[in-house]
Each structure stands twice: as C-alpha cells, then as structure tokens.
Amino acid sequence: MKLSVSDVEVKGKKVLLRVDFNVPLSGGQVVDDTRIRAVLPTITDLLERGARLILVSHLGRPRGEVQPELRLDPVADRLSELLGQPVPKLDQVVGPEVQEAVNNLANGEALMLENVRFEKGEEENDPDFARQLAQTADLFVNDAFGTAHRAHASTAGVAAYIPAVAGLLMIKEIETLSRCLEQPARPLVAILGGAKVSDKLKVIHRFLKLADTLLIGGGMANTFLAALDYPLGDSFYEQDLLIDAKNILEASDRSNCCLQLPVDLAVTRELKPQSSFKIVPVGEVAEGWKAVDIGPETAAIYGKVAAEAGTILWNGPLGVFETAPFHRGTEAVARAVAKSEGFSIVGGGDIVAALESFGLAGQISFISTGGGATLKFWEGETLPGIAVLQDKQIKEE
Ligand code: ADP
Ligand code: MG
C-alpha cells in the first residue's frame, strides 16, 4: 500500500502536486474538464489543511519547446472557477521567478507552473531538471495516474530529492484496479477492442491467466480471424501479428480462460458516415468489403457474458464507433455492461469517449483516468510514477 497524502502533515508545507491536466482545448477554452474535476478532492484537501500548493502538469506534446497554444492559462482559469479561488499561472516551470512566487504563497494558496513539457528535461527525466523542480517544494504528491506509466522528471525524477506520497485520485485508482485483479468477484470478464493487437499483446496474455472470459472485438478481432485463415476482404488487420495471434489462440486452449471471437461482422465497401453495410457471418467477408464492427449476434453473446459477470474490465471499442452506424456493436455491449450487476471498470481514451457519446458513462462502476497507464497496470507492470511513492508502514499492534 502506498502512503497517502492524508497520512502526512501538510500545514505550511510547500507541496508540489503532479496532476494530469492534459485536457482537450478548443479556441483557448477547456472543452472537457473531467480530468480537472477528478483531482479537485486532493486540491481542496491540501488547501483546507493549509498547504502551499504548486501544481504541475503537462498538456499535449510540445517536445521540450514552448508552444504558445499549449500554455496552461485556460486550464488555470477553469480550475480557479471550479475552486472558487484564484490559481495564478506562471510562465515558467523552474527558475528564480518560480522560486519567488512560491515563497510568496500563503498557507491555503495555490499556483500553477507552466506546461512542464516545455522543458527538455521533463521527458528525458533529466536529474538536474528534476532537482530544480523539487527544490521549490518540501513534499511531492503524485495524483497523475494517467501519466504514471511515464518515467519523467515530474512524475518520477523529483522523488529522488523530496519525500513522495500518493494523491487521493492515485490511491483510488490503485486500490480499485488492484482489487479487481487480485480479488475480483467472479466471473471476471475482460473485453478488449481497438484497432491493434500489437498495442495489447501483454494485456491479452495477462488476462488469459486472470480472467474467466476474454471477449475480443474491433480491428484486433480481424487479426485473430485472419490467423484462423478466415477471408477478410479489405478489412484492416495486422499481417505481421498473425504469429502472435496464433500463439495467443494456442495459449488460450491451454488456459482456463475462454477467449471469444466475433461470430458475425458488419461489413461495408466504404468507411464513411451512414454508408451502406451488411451483416455477414465470419468467414464470409468478400473481396472489396471491410469488417468495421461486430455483428448483432456477437453483441448479444458478449452482452449476455457481461450481464452474468462479477467483474468487467474493458479497454477499446468493438468497432469504428466514430463513424455511425458502426458504433452499434460497441453500444449494444456497453448497454449490457451498464445494466450488469457486476463491478465494471473502463479505461482508454476511445472507449470512454464512446461510452460518453452513448450517455452511459455514469452507469459504469469506475472509469479510470488512465488509458495507457491502465493497460500497463493490467499488464502487471510497476508504473514508474507509482514505484517512487513511499510505502505505508504497517503498524504493529
Ligand atoms: P482505447 O483508446 O479505448 O484504448 P484504441 O485506441 O486501442 O482504444 O482503439 C480505438 C480505435 O480502434 C478507434 O479509433 C476505432 O475506430 C478503431 N477500431 C475499432 N474497430 C475497428 C475495426 N474493425 N477496423 C479498424 N479500426 C477499428
Ligand atoms: Mg485510443
């Protein structure tokens, strides 16, 4: 168990809080503030307990250079509104201006540093840069679960210089994800979709060991069907992953996990909104046609498995949900997951966007704020941004 920020005294302390405020912007405005809201409990707790708060986040991929459109001003504005308290944003990440602003912070006040990825040292996890960042503070709190799979200066490097503990969101993510892997209510059902098998090889192997059923859809399913020598016409699949897919199918024969592939598919000649399509059984995808969604029979089978699940872990949409009507397979299964009495966890940018577009996000037991981080966690990897945090000492009776 990791030491939580609630376990430490923070009054008067300068606290460097790493958050994941990598939010979508449009016209200089935050268009979705979910990630900001997710960290509010930690921020409010720290401010109420009299911490002097230094917020640090990345936004987009500026690759070590200042990109004016990726400045954090709109994010600081939105946070100030949500908190009902001003959060000034500095134009630097480190340096004398930052030091001075931090020294002027009163207990219970916050400021935000500039986009940490404007600095080359961030993604390189440069020790000098990490030390400069750490120097401004007495305590490091990591609440950026979505970035915890990266060993960057502001997610891991700083912990070499100041004590490091987990934020409340981080604790919630770790506890919920761990519980569902270590002591899941059974049956444990994993649903994996998305475009590529290559992104998810490790997690597939791990789920073959842990899950009772693994349901596969999306472009990834095409690669498995191709490995079984089904014709796929012009469908997307990964030619160079056929051997891996065969190995997975063999491993599933030896495992206690039941791996299920689609039995029918929605196929179209051209992938565009409202293009005509037909439903065919697997094995009947003709030349010139692309499989872009699971079919209704598959959706019904997967839905029934979800309805009877004790725990559901889902990453990746089951079809090209961005292009109607090829969202239908994902939506049908999502409705079953939403209704299921099983505990459901969903992680991944696209699948979460899909659930939101169906209006079902509120009916999922836990929406992880990680995409890549959640997958790494499910793979069983130790995430660098978690590894550096202090462990909780178990007190002797
Ligand atoms: P997540 O963000 O939930 O982890 P991924 O990024 O792995 O999911 O995959 C999402 C992408 O997979 C979407 O852009 C979707 O269009 C694509 N996809 C799903 N099914 C297919 C398919 N049959 N053919 C091609 N692309 C697909
Ligand atoms: Mg994605």
Side-chain angles (χ1 to χ4, degrees), residues 140-156:
F140 173 58
V141 179
N142 193 357
D143 219 16
F145 176 75
T147 328
H149 57 313
R150 309 278 184 216
H152 293 169
S154 72
T155 60

Side-chain angles (χ1 to χ4, degrees), residues 193-195 199-200 218-219 222 236 291-293 315-322 347-351:
D199 292 342
K200 295 175 190 174
N222 294 346
F236 165 85
V292 288
D293 195 9
N315 168 276
L318 305 179
V320 184
F321 75 98
E322 303 94 329
D350 290 292
I351 184 59

Side-chain angles (χ1 to χ4, degrees), residues 114 133 162-163 202 219 270 278 315 328 339 348 363 385 393:
E114 186 53 276
L133 198 56
I162 44 175
K202 282 195 190 157
E270 199 184 357
K278 57 184 185 180
N315 168 276
R328 282 187 190 158
K339 258 174 84 183
Q363 293 170 59
Q393 304 291 328

Side-chain angles (χ1 to χ4, degrees), residues 87-390:
V87 180
K89 197 227 63 168
L90 311 183
D91 289 330
Q92 303 79 20
V93 183
V94 288
E97 295 94 338
V98 170
Q99 202 63 60
E100 197 192 328
V102 170
N103 289 341
N104 289 333
L105 275 180
N107 293 3
E109 285 182 355
L111 60 75
M112 190 181 292
L113 304 179
E114 186 53 276
N115 187 343
V116 68
R117 286 195 190 163
F118 286 178
E119 295 284 337
K120 283 212 162 47
E122 166 63 359
E123 295 195 56
E124 292 168 2
N125 195 6
D126 173 55
D128 269 345
F129 173 65
R131 188 175 36 76
Q132 283 184 64
L133 198 56
Q135 250 170 16
T136 53
D138 309 306
L139 174 72
F140 173 58
V141 179
N142 193 357
D143 219 16
F145 176 75
T147 328
H149 57 313
R150 309 278 184 216
H152 293 169
S154 72
T155 60
V158 288
Y161 307 98
I162 44 175
V165 301
L168 304 178
L169 174 65
M170 182 68 91
I171 292 280
K172 180 123 211 258
E173 291 273 2
I174 298 174
E175 280 183 359
T176 311
L177 295 179
S178 309
R179 178 166 48 81
C180 289
L181 290 177
E182 288 159 17
Q183 302 153 335
R186 300 230 169 229
L188 171 60
V189 174
I191 310 176
L192 289 175
K196 295 182 179 172
V197 177
S198 49
D199 292 342
K200 295 175 190 174
L201 271 177
K202 282 195 190 157
V203 78
I204 297 173
H205 280 290
R206 184 105 199 279
F207 283 159
L208 285 182
K209 294 203 183 85
L210 296 179
D212 298 295
T213 307
L214 173 54
L215 306 174
I216 296 204
M220 179 194 294
N222 294 346
T223 304
F224 284 101
L225 294 170
L228 291 169
D229 290 330
Y230 287 111
L232 278 150
D234 289 353
S235 306
F236 165 85
Y237 71 92
E238 287 172 288
Q239 184 73 42
D240 51 345
L241 264 289
L242 293 180
I243 303 212
D244 294 283
K246 280 196 181 113
N247 288 339
I248 288 168
L249 292 170
E250 275 171 32
S252 84
D253 288 341
R254 293 190 301 270
S255 85
N256 293 324
C257 174
C258 168
L259 184 153
Q260 296 198 23
L261 293 173
V263 295
D264 60 347
L265 298 162
V267 296
T268 181
R269 281 182 179 278
E270 199 184 357
L271 180 59
K272 60 171 206 272
Q274 308 305 339
S275 60
S276 61
F277 69 97
K278 57 184 185 180
I279 303 296
V280 297
V282 291
E284 290 181 26
V285 182
E287 280 305 314
W289 293 79
K290 298 179 194 18
V292 288
D293 195 9
I294 56 169
E297 199 181 327
T298 308
I301 297 169
Y302 288 12
K304 187 158 183 288
V305 173
E308 291 164 2
T311 308
I312 301 162
L313 308 179
W314 187 354
N315 168 276
L318 305 179
V320 184
F321 75 98
E322 303 94 329
T323 311
F326 306 117
H327 63 285
R328 282 187 190 158
T330 306
E331 180 168 359
V333 177
R335 292 208 175 277
V337 171
K339 258 174 84 183
S340 172
E341 281 173 18
F343 189 88
S344 49
I345 302 189
V346 176
D350 290 292
I351 184 59
V352 173
L355 286 165
E356 274 164 3
S357 74
F358 308 144
L360 293 173
Q363 293 170 59
I364 302 302
S365 315
F366 185 72
I367 301 228
S368 173
T369 51
T374 313
L375 273 181
K376 289 275 174 218
F377 200 98
W378 283 341
E379 285 171 14
E381 295 251 329
T382 309
L383 310 193
I386 297 178
V388 297
L389 305 178
Q390 290 180 22

